[in-house]
Short mmCIF file of all heavy atoms in Angstrom, two decimals:
data_model
loop_
_atom_site.label_atom_id
_atom_site.label_comp_id
_atom_site.label_asym_id
_atom_site.label_seq_id
_atom_site.Cartn_x
_atom_site.Cartn_y
_atom_site.Cartn_z
N SER R 460 -1.28 -23.48 17.07
CA SER R 460 -1.99 -24.71 17.01
C SER R 460 -3.37 -24.73 16.46
O SER R 460 -3.83 -25.60 15.75
CB SER R 460 -2.09 -25.27 18.58
OG SER R 460 -0.92 -25.49 19.15
N GLY R 461 -4.09 -23.60 16.70
CA GLY R 461 -5.31 -23.38 16.03
C GLY R 461 -5.27 -23.34 14.55
O GLY R 461 -6.08 -23.96 13.84
N LYS R 462 -4.29 -22.61 14.03
CA LYS R 462 -4.00 -22.58 12.59
C LYS R 462 -3.72 -23.94 12.00
O LYS R 462 -4.19 -24.28 10.89
CB LYS R 462 -2.96 -21.52 12.29
CG LYS R 462 -3.22 -20.08 12.61
CD LYS R 462 -4.32 -19.57 11.60
CE LYS R 462 -4.49 -18.00 11.78
NZ LYS R 462 -5.61 -17.51 10.95
N ARG R 463 -2.86 -24.76 12.70
CA ARG R 463 -2.54 -25.98 12.23
C ARG R 463 -3.79 -26.84 12.13
O ARG R 463 -4.00 -27.62 11.21
CB ARG R 463 -1.49 -26.64 13.16
CG ARG R 463 -0.15 -26.16 12.99
CD ARG R 463 0.81 -26.89 13.98
NE ARG R 463 2.23 -26.62 13.62
CZ ARG R 463 3.32 -27.27 14.08
NH1 ARG R 463 3.10 -28.31 15.00
NH2 ARG R 463 4.56 -26.99 13.82
N SER R 464 -4.69 -26.76 13.22
CA SER R 464 -5.85 -27.57 13.14
C SER R 464 -6.79 -27.23 11.99
O SER R 464 -7.38 -28.03 11.32
CB SER R 464 -6.65 -27.46 14.45
OG SER R 464 -5.86 -27.88 15.59
N CYS R 465 -6.89 -25.91 11.83
CA CYS R 465 -7.77 -25.51 10.66
C CYS R 465 -7.17 -25.90 9.25
O CYS R 465 -7.99 -26.26 8.39
CB CYS R 465 -7.86 -23.91 10.64
SG CYS R 465 -8.92 -23.27 12.01
N GLU R 466 -5.87 -25.82 9.15
CA GLU R 466 -5.31 -26.40 7.89
C GLU R 466 -5.62 -27.86 7.70
O GLU R 466 -5.95 -28.28 6.57
CB GLU R 466 -3.79 -26.22 7.89
CG GLU R 466 -3.34 -24.82 7.76
CD GLU R 466 -1.94 -24.59 7.29
OE1 GLU R 466 -1.27 -25.58 6.86
OE2 GLU R 466 -1.39 -23.46 7.49
N THR R 467 -5.48 -28.64 8.81
CA THR R 467 -5.83 -30.00 8.60
C THR R 467 -7.29 -30.29 8.32
O THR R 467 -7.68 -31.19 7.47
CB THR R 467 -5.54 -30.85 9.98
OG1 THR R 467 -4.05 -30.55 10.29
CG2 THR R 467 -5.84 -32.29 9.82
N LEU R 468 -8.17 -29.43 8.84
CA LEU R 468 -9.61 -29.50 8.52
C LEU R 468 -9.83 -29.31 6.97
O LEU R 468 -10.57 -29.92 6.36
CB LEU R 468 -10.35 -28.53 9.37
CG LEU R 468 -11.86 -28.61 9.19
CD1 LEU R 468 -12.47 -29.85 9.75
CD2 LEU R 468 -12.58 -27.43 9.95
N CYS R 469 -9.05 -28.22 6.44
CA CYS R 469 -9.20 -27.98 5.02
C CYS R 469 -8.77 -29.14 4.24
O CYS R 469 -9.42 -29.59 3.20
CB CYS R 469 -8.30 -26.81 4.72
SG CYS R 469 -8.92 -25.25 5.22
N ALA R 470 -7.62 -29.83 4.59
CA ALA R 470 -7.13 -30.92 3.85
C ALA R 470 -8.20 -32.09 3.95
O ALA R 470 -8.29 -32.82 2.97
CB ALA R 470 -5.77 -31.38 4.52
N CYS R 471 -8.80 -32.27 5.05
CA CYS R 471 -9.83 -33.42 5.26
C CYS R 471 -10.98 -33.17 4.28
O CYS R 471 -11.44 -34.10 3.65
CB CYS R 471 -10.30 -33.43 6.66
SG CYS R 471 -9.11 -34.05 7.83
N TYR R 472 -11.47 -31.94 4.18
CA TYR R 472 -12.62 -31.61 3.41
C TYR R 472 -12.29 -31.73 1.93
O TYR R 472 -12.97 -32.24 1.05
CB TYR R 472 -13.23 -30.23 3.72
CG TYR R 472 -14.29 -30.29 4.72
CD1 TYR R 472 -13.93 -30.24 6.02
CD2 TYR R 472 -15.58 -30.28 4.28
CE1 TYR R 472 -14.98 -30.21 6.98
CE2 TYR R 472 -16.63 -30.28 5.26
CZ TYR R 472 -16.35 -30.29 6.60
OH TYR R 472 -17.30 -30.30 7.52
N ALA R 473 -11.04 -31.43 1.57
CA ALA R 473 -10.52 -31.51 0.19
C ALA R 473 -10.49 -33.03 -0.18
O ALA R 473 -10.88 -33.40 -1.32
CB ALA R 473 -9.17 -30.84 0.02
N ASP R 474 -10.09 -33.89 0.72
CA ASP R 474 -9.81 -35.32 0.48
C ASP R 474 -11.21 -36.07 0.56
O ASP R 474 -11.52 -36.74 -0.32
CB ASP R 474 -8.93 -35.90 1.46
CG ASP R 474 -8.58 -37.36 1.30
OD1 ASP R 474 -8.16 -37.74 0.24
OD2 ASP R 474 -8.97 -38.12 2.24
N GLU R 475 -11.98 -35.92 1.62
CA GLU R 475 -13.12 -36.70 1.83
C GLU R 475 -14.41 -36.22 1.13
O GLU R 475 -15.24 -36.94 0.71
CB GLU R 475 -13.51 -36.79 3.35
CG GLU R 475 -12.43 -37.54 4.10
CD GLU R 475 -12.82 -37.74 5.60
OE1 GLU R 475 -13.98 -37.69 5.87
OE2 GLU R 475 -11.90 -38.00 6.36
N LYS R 476 -14.55 -34.87 0.94
CA LYS R 476 -15.73 -34.32 0.38
C LYS R 476 -15.54 -33.49 -0.93
O LYS R 476 -16.36 -32.98 -1.45
CB LYS R 476 -16.47 -33.41 1.38
CG LYS R 476 -16.97 -34.17 2.59
CD LYS R 476 -17.90 -33.36 3.46
CE LYS R 476 -18.59 -34.15 4.56
NZ LYS R 476 -19.65 -33.44 5.29
N ASN R 477 -14.24 -33.67 -1.42
CA ASN R 477 -13.90 -33.04 -2.66
C ASN R 477 -14.25 -31.53 -2.70
O ASN R 477 -14.61 -30.95 -3.74
CB ASN R 477 -14.55 -33.72 -3.86
CG ASN R 477 -13.89 -33.45 -5.20
OD1 ASN R 477 -12.69 -33.35 -5.23
ND2 ASN R 477 -14.62 -33.46 -6.18
#
Side-chain angles (χ1 to χ4, degrees):
S460 296
K462 291 293 188 182
R463 284 183 169 191
S464 297
C465 286
E466 288 198 18
T467 302
L468 186 65
C469 288
C471 290
Y472 269 84
D474 180 59
E475 293 187 21
K476 296 196 174 186
N477 201 31

